Amino acid sequence: MTPDAADLSGEDLRIARALLAGTNPSPRTEATEEEHRQAQRLVQAFLTHPGQVLPDGRRGRSRRPRRRSTRARALLASAAAVTVMAVLLVTAAVVGGGGSAVAAPLLPAPLLTATTGDHETAVGILLDAAQRQREMTVPGTGRVHFTRLQSYGLQTSVARSRATTVIVTRIIQMWRRPDGSRLTEQSLQGVDRAGRAVGGPTPPEEPGYRRIEAPPAEAGVEVALLPTDPDQLYAHLLSSYRTNQGATATPTDITRLAYSHLKDGGTSPQQNAALYELFARDPAVFATGPVTDRAGRPARSVGIRLAGTDGSRTSTGYLLVADDGTPLTAETVFAPDAPPGLELPPAPTVAEYSQFTDERRVIAVGNLH
């Protein structure tokens, strides 16, 4: 053990952990108001008396020697600085005048990375979730379907054979009317540069807030009009792919298109059921075991192969569902590494995810109740 490590005693570690408690930008469970207040008290006390802060936030005389190495002081100062930023991030990001929104950290670790697993178990999870969704009704009494989700994704701008990759995180609120028209509100949580800078173009500036009104959909195209029967849904997706791509879809193409509809949000429980039943027909789906999503919610997870190995990566989608079949998170991961053009560290990388936080029926567009 080095002298610097010895100077960083157990008391120091407890202080550092306490400083960061309740300020994790991607918490397993929602931080309480008391945790926020405690973290802020600790930050203030530490900045005022850095050598005399006890783990419970009280100020007093330390029982250890007064002298502390430069590295130990720097480590604790860094913890305090991180906490200040995290407190500001967690407490200041308010979306749409409603609740708080917690921004995703830069390049979060994937929730899951397995690329194989038991197929029969996955089919059982999907069919059970489909049955439960068919029996479910969305809370509320109105005719407008409201969905709120957090969206995270990598975006790459390319010019002169150079690329710049950024991470964009948004809170999306969506109201879908019975005719398929919709209003979408997007509140930007943050844009961070990702990976190594290689002289690529400057990414376009993202608006902090966007309000998008979409007219009634053409029959059979919009998510609001997706069939709830799996056979009809398959035929619809096949026709949609042929129209948009000018080619006949493979079974993998249909799976990928179905997954895309699910992660975009706004599907009803009955549409979810049909999508689950389509996934269950895919011989490549596999179970990945129980997992906790980024909001701290327990879930059952199924892996969905979205692309085969292309010499650099495999793209896998992970669908996390609650016990009642409600979709909680759809996360896409590049593994074993991200595509080389993104200039990201060599490791499984989250390409995008949608985390669903609210769903209900409301009386009118713009209402939350």
Side-chain angles (χ1 to χ4, degrees):
M1 181 179 293
T2 66
D4 285 348
D7 282 346
L8 192 61
S9 69
E11 178 185 324
D12 289 326
L13 292 175
R14 286 194 297 275
I15 293 171
R17 291 185 183 122
L19 282 168
L20 296 172
T23 62
N24 180 2
S26 183
R28 290 297 184 185
T29 57
E30 188 72 18
T32 66
E33 290 299 321
E34 178 56 32
E35 285 175 323
H36 288 308
R37 288 193 293 270
Q38 172 73 350
Q40 289 170 320
R41 285 196 298 268
L42 284 164
V43 171
Q44 185 58 44
F46 180 83
L47 294 178
T48 305
H49 301 280
Q52 298 179 332
V53 182
L54 300 181
D56 61 359
R58 293 179 291 113
R59 288 183 297 175
R61 193 174 296 275
S62 173
R63 296 180 181 178
R64 55 193 306 276
R66 285 179 176 272
R67 296 197 60 182
R68 195 184 297 249
S69 74
T70 301
R71 177 170 176 76
R73 288 196 301 272
L75 285 171
L76 288 177
S78 297
V82 170
T83 304
V84 171
M85 295 183 65
V87 168
L88 291 175
L89 177 66
V90 172
T91 59
V94 178
V95 177
S100 296
V102 181
L106 185 67
L107 289 177
L111 292 172
L112 295 160
T113 58
T115 55
T116 60
D118 186 73
H119 173 69
E120 293 303 321
T121 300
V123 171
I125 291 173
L126 290 166
L127 294 182
D128 177 68
Q131 180 179 349
R132 292 173 185 272
Q133 284 286 279
R134 290 204 182 279
E135 299 168 353
M136 175 174 282
T137 58
V138 177
T141 58
R143 300 182 65 221
V144 176
H145 191 118
F146 170 73
T147 306
R148 181 188 286 116
L149 62 106
Q150 182 187 57
S151 171
Y152 166 101
L154 298 175
Q155 295 184 3
T156 301
S157 302
V158 180
R160 303 180 302 279
S161 300
R162 296 181 180 273
T164 299
T165 301
V166 296
I167 293 170
V168 181
T169 311
R170 297 184 180 91
I171 291 292
I172 298 174
Q173 298 188 138
M174 185 188 312
W175 291 266
R176 293 188 184 275
R177 303 179 183 92
D179 66 357
S181 64
R182 69 188 185 277
L183 171 67
T184 303
E185 292 184 343
Q186 297 185 2
S187 298
L188 183 68
Q189 289 184 284
V191 178
D192 296 303
R193 185 182 295 271
R196 188 168 64 88
V198 291
T202 301
E205 185 173 341
E206 292 275 344
Y209 171 82
R210 285 198 298 172
R211 183 181 173 95
I212 306 167
E213 180 72 54
E218 298 178 6
V221 174
E222 279 295 324
V223 170
L225 303 177
L226 286 177
T228 58
D229 175 81
D231 292 328
Q232 294 177 8
L233 177 60
Y234 187 90
H236 164 75
L237 295 178
L238 196 65
S239 174
S240 175
Y241 188 93
R242 186 182 300 113
T243 299
N244 293 323
Q245 303 296 328
T248 300
T250 67
T252 301
D253 292 328
I254 296 299
T255 297
R256 186 165 52 246
L257 187 55
Y259 180 80
S260 177
H261 279 305
L262 188 65
K263 74 178 180 60
D264 285 345
T267 50
S268 69
Q270 288 69 38
Q271 290 171 331
N272 293 339
L275 290 166
Y276 294 164
E277 288 168 348
L278 280 193
F279 294 143
R281 298 178 181 181
D282 188 331
V285 297
F286 57 94
T288 57
V291 68
T292 301
D293 78 352
R294 299 183 188 279
R297 301 173 296 185
R300 297 178 292 173
S301 179
V302 170
I304 301 170
R305 188 145 320 138
L306 303 177
T309 302
D310 61 4
S312 62
R313 63 175 172 85
T314 297
S315 178
T316 304
Y318 299 95
L319 174 62
L320 279 61
V321 298
D323 287 340
D324 62 5
T326 300
L328 301 179
T329 300
E331 179 169 295
T332 305
V333 175
F334 294 137
D337 302 318
L342 300 186
E343 296 291 334
L344 297 174
T349 303
V350 180
E352 61 183 4
Y353 70 71
S354 297
Q355 182 167 285
F356 304 101
T357 57
D358 195 9
E359 180 185 23
R360 66 185 71 171
R361 292 197 171 276
V362 297
I363 296 174
V365 167
N367 286 16
L368 298 179
H369 303 286

